[in-house]
Amino acid sequence: MSLDFGPAVALSCRECGARYDLGPSFACLECFGPLEVAYSFGSVTREDIASGPANIWRYRSLLPVPVDVTSKQNMNPGWTKLVKADNLGKVLGLRDLHVKDDSGNPTHSFKDRVVAIAVEAARNFGFHTLSCSSTGNLAGAVTAAAARAGLEACVFIPADLEQAKIAMARVFGGKLVGIEGTYDEVNRFCSELIGDPLGDKWGFVNVNLRPYYAEGSKTLAYEIAEQLGWELPDQIIIPVASGSQLTKIDKGFKELISLGLVEDKPYKIFAAQAAGCSPVSTAFKAGHDVVQPVKPDTIAKSLAIGNPADGPYVLDIARRTGGAVEDVTDAEVVSAIKLLASTEGIFAETAGGVTVGVLKKLVETAQLDPSLTTVVLNTGDGLKTLDAIAEDASPTAVIRPSLDAFRAAV
């Protein structure tokens, strides 16, 4: 079988550096560390990138995908808006604030980016079924991408997910299986299924395709830098579930620097968690290198991963860049959702409430410099987590159809 992964040349262990041929593997045979994609990049210019399509494939020369990826059936996510958030910045006292709003992706979350890369890996390996364990957004992204690519889909979720996310995942077809348990239990089940004949020729995007899938998050780094005029932000606030997105944004920034596409300058990465599922934040504040698993209890279900695989790497990056890991309560999440909506017209899901809430907290505790260029991520659409603002799901007033009634109400 001939494989075409573009500039990707191998899988490399993040712990011991052992290298392996490109394949559907995710753990090092020497030390059991996580594998990631290693590259041999050719010459890449800003002009080459700018001449590409208005989606993630403009960066195809930096991703593990075929050269002809633009001709394939894919969801073509990316190139979402970077909103200059002057109104929110004024409220928080920030001079140059931007919101990277990934709710504009095909299934309204950043997960479309990572799944798009996983689809190409599944094609390369001859898989016929796309699968995943999901806290919600990924399930919808996988079933949609599978439908578009002509693949079967079978995804697994905790049974108590938000109804909007369940409905979205089902509408695209395929099988949606609810598991009685937490996301971590769902993920363990999927790992067992990979070794069973039932899972033969299945591509689990966040397990046996994880090294490729995770690379999709680098495109957030690429887009932010390009949309800032080929400059890195001074500070960025990223939500943390497994922690993979944050580690790949950091990897993307470093690749841009090494390729000479942006100036080499310091940047700080801040990680955001919900207080009801904050194992990385707890470890950071305690000065620990080990992340202790927790049982999630938060409205931010898309971040409810109690045993984050990339938690230790998040700690390393936050410390290396001079950033921090912070958390906010569910009440602060809801307040931040409303603040972003009322100042910038962006309706974020609960994960976006976490990042904006943490941004506010970082400013108030002087952990973040308000004079610098700051980017905060909104990774999904608030229509998926309406329960979080259920108390506002009624009119401010109900009146008879007359001007006198309106005057009295107003």
Side-chain angles (χ1 to χ4, degrees):
M1 179 172 58
S2 177
L3 303 179
D4 183 1
F5 283 99
V9 295
L11 294 178
S12 176
C13 177
R14 288 161 72 178
E15 290 294 323
C16 72
R19 287 168 78 93
Y20 301 88
D21 291 339
L22 295 167
S25 305
F26 60 97
C28 177
L29 298 178
E30 300 293 329
C31 71
F32 303 106
L35 300 180
E36 68 175 356
V37 178
Y39 297 91
S40 177
F41 294 129
S43 174
V44 182
T45 68
R46 296 177 181 180
E47 292 73 23
D48 291 337
I49 291 170
S51 68
N55 55 52
I56 64 171
W57 306 133
R58 68 199 286 115
Y59 310 109
R60 59 191 178 278
S61 58
L62 303 175
L63 297 168
V65 296
V67 175
D68 65 347
V69 66
T70 56
S71 67
K72 298 180 182 294
Q73 292 284 90
N74 205 298
M75 298 294 284
N76 302 325
W79 202 244
T80 54
K81 293 185 294 185
L82 183 69
V83 178
K84 185 72 163 64
D86 290 338
N87 296 332
L88 178 59
K90 184 176 181 180
V91 171
L92 298 180
L94 292 162
R95 181 188 63 82
D96 188 23
L97 176 63
H98 305 257
V99 177
K100 181 58 172 171
D101 185 12
D102 243 23
S103 65
N105 277 310
T107 68
H108 307 287
S109 90
F110 91 95
K111 291 295 186 181
D112 291 315
R113 296 175 181 271
V114 289
V115 172
I117 309 296
V119 165
E120 297 311 316
R123 285 187 172 122
N124 255 311
F125 298 133
F127 292 155
H128 56 64
T129 299
L130 212 58
S131 186
C132 70
S133 51
S134 174
T135 57
N137 284 322
L138 182 57
V142 165
T143 52
R148 174 72 174 155
L151 299 171
E152 297 296 318
C154 184
V155 299
F156 301 89
I157 59 171
D160 65 347
L161 278 188
E162 300 98 335
Q163 285 299 307
K165 291 179 180 176
I166 292 174
M168 175 173 249
R170 287 200 64 181
V171 75
F172 298 114
K175 297 181 178 66
L176 178 68
V177 181
I179 302 287
E180 296 175 351
T182 65
Y183 168 81
D184 298 290
E185 291 170 307
V186 176
N187 199 41
R188 282 195 293 272
F189 169 79
C190 288
S191 297
E192 294 174 10
L193 186 54
I194 288 175
D196 189 275
L198 277 172
D200 185 45
K201 293 293 182 181
W202 284 31
F204 291 80
V205 301
N206 51 351
V207 188
N208 61 345
L209 296 180
R210 187 177 182 86
Y212 311 93
Y213 156 93
E215 294 293 288
S217 287
K218 295 193 308 181
T219 61
L220 278 162
Y222 302 154
E223 286 181 23
I224 289 168
E226 185 176 359
Q227 290 169 328
L228 286 175
W230 290 108
E231 291 187 7
L232 299 183
D234 298 307
Q235 305 167 137
I236 184 168
I237 298 89
I238 304 168
V240 167
S242 72
S244 174
Q245 182 187 66
L246 184 146
T247 68
K248 295 305 179 181
I249 289 175
D250 179 57
K251 182 180 181 182
F253 285 161
K254 290 192 291 184
E255 287 176 348
L256 293 177
I257 292 170
S258 67
L259 290 165
L261 292 169
V262 297
E263 177 188 352
D264 186 356
K265 58 171 259 188
Y267 58 87
K268 292 184 178 183
I269 292 183
F270 296 88
Q273 292 203 291
C277 186
S278 55
V280 187
S281 177
T282 299
F284 181 86
K285 292 173 182 177
H288 295 162
D289 296 325
V290 176
V291 176
Q292 295 293 335
V294 300
K295 186 173 182 179
D297 182 17
T298 174
I299 61 171
K301 294 184 183 295
S302 60
L303 303 183
I305 297 180
N307 188 17
D310 287 288
Y313 301 109
V314 171
L315 293 173
D316 291 343
I317 291 167
R319 288 166 178 156
R320 189 196 82 230
T321 64
V325 188
E326 189 55 87
D327 58 85
V328 285
T329 65
D330 283 357
E332 290 172 308
V333 171
V334 173
S335 177
I337 290 172
K338 294 176 181 179
L339 176 61
L340 178 61
S342 63
T343 55
E344 299 298 341
I346 297 172
F347 184 19
E349 72 155 44
T350 47
V354 170
T355 54
V356 174
V358 163
L359 169 64
K360 182 174 183 289
K361 191 171 185 179
L362 291 170
V363 174
E364 292 171 346
T365 55
Q367 297 183 70
L368 181 148
D369 188 336
S371 70
L372 299 179
T373 298
T374 305
V375 173
V376 61
L377 266 59
N378 172 44
T379 53
D381 195 317
L383 292 174
K384 294 185 175 190
T385 56
L386 288 172
D387 288 351
I389 57 161
E391 65 182 47
D392 291 331
S394 60
T396 54
V398 177
I399 64 170
R400 294 182 60 80
S402 73
L403 289 175
D404 287 342
F406 177 63
R407 289 190 186 97
V410 172

